[in-house]
């Protein structure tokens, strides 16, 4: 396995990002145009994980509102004027390249959030990855009925999670 590194995502990376998304998240498909919109709206939060083998992972994050998860495979159209969190839409890495890269990506978006005066990170944990997110400082949040309904579109084993940056 080669050494990996996070770098900013570029438009030319979209085919690799889409291919990884389809491979890693076959039960949660998203159109390339939806992924491209996130990259266009908030390029600072979009990264790819490079290795000698090429792009082996990606992370897409954007400003958003807590407890208001965007519907899967839907356009955002615009970012909220008064975002109160950075929403980690997706972090996907091929299994052979995972050791510690989630922690590195979260550290990068934490710096971005702090520089933007945003004090919270948010995400939806899918595929029962809650323990991974807890290891990097996220905590599960009890979902109300509206949030539970939205979480259902992400499949079984989903949890809405927050990380309060003021506490770290």
């Amino acid at each position: 396995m080669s050494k990996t590194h996070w770098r900013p995502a570029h438009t030319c990376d979209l085919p690799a990002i889409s291919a990884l998304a389809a491979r890693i998240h076959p039960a949660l498909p998203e159109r390339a145009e939806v992924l491209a919109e996130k990259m266009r709206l908030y390029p600072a939060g979009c990264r790819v994980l490079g290795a000698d083998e090429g792009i082996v992972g990606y992370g897409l994050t954007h400003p958003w509102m807590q407890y208001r998860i965007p519907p899967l495979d839907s356009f955002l159209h615009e970012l909220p004027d008064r975002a109160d969190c950075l929403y980690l839409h997706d972090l996907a890495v091929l299994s052979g390249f995972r050791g510690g890269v989630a922690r590195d990506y979260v550290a990068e978006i934490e710096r971005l959030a702090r520089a933007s005066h945003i004090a919270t990170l948010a995400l939806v944990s899918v595929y029962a990855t809650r323990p991974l997110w807890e290891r990097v400082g996220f905590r599960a949040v009890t979902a109300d009925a509206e949030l539970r309904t939205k979480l259902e579109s992400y499949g079984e084993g989903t949890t809405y999670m927050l990380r309060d940056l003021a506490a770290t």
Side-chain angles (χ1 to χ4, degrees), residues 88-102:
L88 199 163
H89 172 78
D90 195 8
L91 177 63
V93 177
L94 292 174
S95 61
F97 297 89
R98 291 188 179 151
V101 297

Side-chain angles (χ1 to χ4, degrees), residues 21-63:
R23 181 174 171 185
I24 295 170
H25 300 306
L28 302 171
E30 289 194 287
R31 292 167 286 160
E33 298 84 7
V34 170
L35 301 174
E37 182 201 45
K38 287 170 182 39
M39 293 170 61
R40 181 181 53 78
L41 288 174
Y42 199 67
C46 300
R47 304 253 189 256
V48 293
L49 184 65
D52 291 341
E53 295 82 354
I55 294 173
V56 297
Y58 66 90
L60 304 175
T61 298
H62 56 80

Side-chain angles (χ1 to χ4, degrees), residues 24-165:
I24 295 170
H25 300 306
L28 302 171
E30 289 194 287
R31 292 167 286 160
E33 298 84 7
V34 170
L35 301 174
E37 182 201 45
K38 287 170 182 39
M39 293 170 61
R40 181 181 53 78
L41 288 174
Y42 199 67
C46 300
R47 304 253 189 256
V48 293
L49 184 65
D52 291 341
E53 295 82 354
I55 294 173
V56 297
Y58 66 90
L60 304 175
T61 298
H62 56 80
W64 205 245
M65 302 302 295
Q66 292 180 45
Y67 303 97
R68 296 189 183 127
I69 60 174
L72 193 61
D73 194 37
S74 296
F75 291 107
L76 302 175
H77 302 291
E78 62 185 5
L79 298 176
D81 291 331
R82 296 180 184 216
D84 62 2
C85 70
L86 274 187
Y87 180 73
L88 199 163
H89 172 78
D90 195 8
L91 177 63
V93 177
L94 292 174
S95 61
F97 297 89
R98 291 188 179 151
V101 297
R103 183 175 307 280
D104 295 341
Y105 179 72
V106 170
E108 287 192 27
I109 64 168
E110 178 181 339
R111 285 190 292 276
L112 181 60
R114 289 181 190 280
S116 303
H117 305 288
I118 294 175
T120 306
L121 303 179
L123 60 82
V124 173
S125 167
V126 297
Y127 308 132
T129 55
R130 179 176 166 174
L132 162 74
W133 297 115
E134 287 173 338
R135 284 192 299 275
V136 294
F138 285 83
R139 64 175 172 77
V141 175
T142 302
D144 63 15
E146 182 180 347
L147 184 55
R148 276 194 310 274
T149 299
K150 289 180 180 180
L151 287 170
E152 288 173 4
S153 71
Y154 285 76
E156 289 185 38
T158 59
T159 306
Y160 185 71
M161 303 185 80
L162 297 174
R163 180 172 175 198
D164 181 7
L165 300 180

